[in-house]
Amino acid sequence: MRNFSRPKVVISKCFEFENVRYDGGVISSVFVKKLMPHVDFIPICPEVEIGLGTPRDPLRIVSVEGELRLIQPATNLDLTDKMTKFANSFLDSLPEVDGFILKSRSPTSAIKDAKVYPSANRKVAPISKGPGLFGRAVLQRFSDLAVEDEGRLRNPRIKEHFLTKLFTIASFREVKASDSSRNVVGFHSENKLLLKTYNQKELRKLGKIVANQKSKTFAEAIRDYEQHFFEALRKPPRCGSNINVLMNAMGYFSNRLSKEEKSFFLDSLEKYRAGKLPFSVNIGILRAWIIRFKEDYLAKQTLFEPYPEDLMDIDAMTTYCDGKDYWK
């Protein structure tokens, strides 16, 4: 069992924390409940913070001469400036955090799917979708972090990427705060296979930065490392990258496996490539071999346990190769 860093996550307060929805309700979330023992949450409701009550008349995003405004149709109040001022003030005052879980479809907190209307008339249909005002400010400042909404987190692949990125970033935050070059070396070594699945090009750059640490101050080296680290995690691994890394991992045991065992594993990889087996099956086979052959280097690799087992529910263990890009 790995010892995991505790991520710091900004979360919409309507999830399990307080009755702050526009209708006076609170949203139950199994995912948030599971995260609570492992994460330090910073709950926030932007609409309440700018003085709106609970319950309250709904808000909507309205396109006014090409500019997006936050309007409350029932009162005709334009709350754009208030929300922009709050978002900037709140985000300026945040401690270093690792991620955000925001409310989908919210005109303030959504990151992708808030409806945009041509007017405040409640009878008109929406003309497009996009981030809410607070969500847009988060994306502008913190796009490198693990940022998602609860709707998208119902998708197993999105959830797996979010959790992997969240706990990896939290671990890096602690390494950065340690002011220790030795800790950077250890972090890079333990995350090498994980980062290799994400982006081999950036991994090579990170390796050079670690190897040349002595030529720079810690602050300079960690700044360079952080830039390429975030770039490496920007998009989730492709199926082909996962397969290549798992084949490399099998190489650690190649002289100790029977012909039948090798054939079984390679067949499992092809079934994963074809979308017939989940990624977790192949990880499970390798973890069994790691224990059997006492392969210490692989045992320390975060690829095989990127986040706490308590969070590895059935959904997260059934991610297949489906060829879809959920991050466009």
Side-chain angles (χ1 to χ4, degrees):
M1 291 285 290
R2 285 182 56 205
N3 291 321
F4 290 92
S5 304
R6 286 184 67 86
K8 297 179 181 179
V9 179
V10 178
I11 187 169
S12 291
K13 193 179 285 187
C14 56
F15 296 121
E16 297 292 347
F17 289 94
E18 289 186 26
N19 295 63
V20 292
R21 288 201 74 200
Y22 75 94
D23 59 2
V26 65
I27 300 172
S28 179
S29 171
V30 173
F31 180 61
V32 172
K33 286 179 181 177
K34 283 189 173 184
L35 279 176
M36 283 180 174
H38 305 283
V39 168
D40 292 327
F41 281 122
I42 303 173
I44 187 69
C45 176
E47 296 177 20
V48 169
E49 292 295 331
I50 64 170
L52 299 179
T54 305
R56 56 188 171 274
D57 291 310
L59 308 181
R60 67 166 45 175
I61 299 175
V62 177
S63 179
V64 180
E65 296 181 355
E67 183 181 0
L68 299 181
R69 310 293 296 181
L70 184 65
I71 308 293
Q72 190 175 48
T75 61
N76 210 32
L77 283 174
D78 186 328
L79 299 162
T80 311
D81 294 340
K82 266 191 173 183
M83 183 56 67
T84 301
K85 183 178 179 181
F86 163 73
N88 290 334
S89 174
F90 174 78
L91 297 176
D92 283 344
S93 66
L94 271 182
E96 190 168 8
V97 298
D98 309 301
F100 291 75
I101 300 175
L102 300 177
K103 181 69 188 77
S104 64
R105 300 191 296 275
S106 165
T108 53
S109 297
I111 60 171
K112 285 180 177 288
D113 58 359
K115 294 178 181 179
V116 178
Y117 293 85
S119 77
N121 185 328
R122 282 179 279 188
K123 294 182 180 180
V124 299
I127 55 175
S128 63
K129 292 182 180 180
L133 267 67
F134 180 77
R136 180 181 291 109
V138 168
L139 293 173
Q140 287 172 345
R141 296 186 184 214
F142 298 104
S143 61
D144 288 334
L145 302 185
V147 181
E148 277 298 350
D149 65 52
E150 96 291 355
R152 284 170 51 82
L153 285 170
R154 296 189 190 103
N155 179 284
R157 283 200 69 197
I158 293 175
K159 180 166 62 176
E160 183 179 51
H161 173 57
F162 174 82
L163 289 171
T164 300
K165 187 172 181 179
L166 180 67
F167 281 89
T168 307
I169 290 174
S171 179
F172 175 72
R173 172 174 49 79
E174 293 189 352
V175 168
K176 186 168 62 171
S178 74
D179 199 27
S180 166
S181 297
R182 179 179 295 179
N183 287 346
V184 177
V185 173
F187 174 84
H188 183 73
S189 176
E190 291 176 1
N191 285 280
K192 189 169 288 186
L193 292 188
L194 178 70
L195 291 170
K196 193 172 184 179
T197 65
Y198 271 83
N199 192 315
Q200 291 193 41
K201 180 180 177 181
E202 293 300 326
L203 174 63
R204 287 193 291 270
K205 293 178 181 178
L206 290 167
K208 290 178 181 178
I209 292 169
V210 172
N212 296 321
Q213 280 190 95
K214 292 182 179 179
S215 65
K216 297 181 179 181
T217 66
F218 180 82
E220 291 171 335
I222 202 69
R223 185 176 60 246
D224 291 346
Y225 191 95
E226 183 175 48
Q227 176 186 347
H228 293 285
F229 169 70
F230 281 134
E231 185 60 34
L233 293 178
R234 188 167 298 281
K235 291 186 177 182
R238 296 176 178 175
C239 294
S241 294
N242 281 336
I243 291 169
N244 289 339
V245 171
L246 294 189
M247 287 185 68
N248 289 342
M250 186 188 73
Y252 283 80
F253 315 107
S254 59
N255 296 330
R256 292 170 283 182
L257 295 172
S258 69
K259 181 180 179 181
E260 290 78 12
E261 285 174 314
K262 292 179 186 178
S263 177
F264 175 77
F265 183 67
L266 293 175
D267 183 57
S268 295
L269 288 180
E270 287 307 310
K271 287 179 179 176
Y272 165 64
R273 190 195 304 271
K276 296 178 180 179
L277 275 182
F279 184 59
S280 59
V281 169
N282 302 289
I283 288 290
I285 295 170
L286 284 170
R287 290 185 73 178
W289 289 342
I290 290 169
I291 295 169
R292 174 181 163 191
F293 297 114
K294 296 181 174 59
E295 185 55 59
D296 291 339
Y297 174 73
L298 291 184
K300 294 177 182 178
Q301 288 298 307
T302 58
L303 173 67
F304 299 105
E305 192 182 359
Y307 50 85
E309 280 191 340
D310 289 354
L311 303 174
M312 294 182 182
D313 55 24
I314 295 299
D315 284 345
M317 295 173 66
T318 56
T319 53
Y320 292 81
C321 245
D322 60 10
K324 295 180 181 178
D325 186 349
Y326 300 98
W327 291 267
K328 286 184 178 179

